[in-house]
Amino acid sequence: MNYEINMHLNDIAVIRLFGELDHHETEKIRTHISKTILQGNLSTIIWNLERLNFMDSSGIGLILGRMRELGAVNGQTIILNPSNTMKKIFQFSGLASFMLEGTEADAILHARGIVNG
């Protein structure tokens, strides 16, 4: 398994991706997280890409698709710690404003509207 999903207070999902994300893994994650979104409690998905080495176009589609599903319930997406190569891809995809550098705790605070500093 190349991913873990952890729930925080039933409304924030932290999805950690590891190694390489290809079409096969993308399908498993999509099924799992879409069920969670459809249950109606999820307000935020934090995609922790810190340990992801490679992602093909199906990975971009996975994130974009979940953003659309969450958008229907006014949810938000945070793309945490993408590699430099992935940053470029997300910038070209118009997702730069969703990227964040820091810890998962920082991202959870950000999602809750709590800003440090």
Side-chain angles (χ1 to χ4, degrees):
M1 185 179 315
N2 293 4
Y3 71 97
E4 295 174 353
I5 299 176
N6 290 76
M7 297 298 296
H8 293 269
L9 300 176
N10 288 332
D11 67 333
I12 295 178
V14 176
I15 303 172
R16 295 181 196 103
L17 302 176
F18 311 102
E20 297 187 359
L21 181 62
D22 60 15
H23 179 72
H24 180 69
E25 286 297 315
T26 298
E27 286 301 315
K28 286 193 258 181
I29 298 168
R30 176 180 292 125
T31 300
H32 188 152
I33 202 66
S34 289
K35 284 180 187 175
T36 305
I37 292 170
L38 290 173
Q39 290 172 352
N41 298 327
L42 199 61
S43 67
T44 303
I45 296 177
I46 298 169
W47 298 92
N48 188 343
L49 308 183
E50 188 169 35
R51 294 192 284 175
L52 187 65
N53 302 324
F54 171 80
M55 174 171 48
D56 67 12
S57 60
S58 65
I60 301 289
L62 171 71
I63 293 173
L64 286 171
R66 289 344 89 212
M67 287 176 80
R68 276 193 299 276
E69 288 177 358
L70 267 180
V73 293
N74 294 319
Q76 64 180 326
T77 299
I78 296 172
I79 302 168
L80 187 64
N81 300 323
S83 70
N84 287 333
T85 302
M86 284 183 239
K87 280 181 193 173
K88 290 177 186 172
I89 292 168
F90 289 126
Q91 287 168 341
F92 290 135
S93 302
L95 302 176
S97 64
F98 298 95
M99 291 189 294
L100 183 69
E101 295 290 324
T103 66
E104 287 179 4
D106 294 335
I108 291 167
L109 290 175
H110 180 81
R112 299 223 183 273
I114 301 166
V115 180
N116 292 332

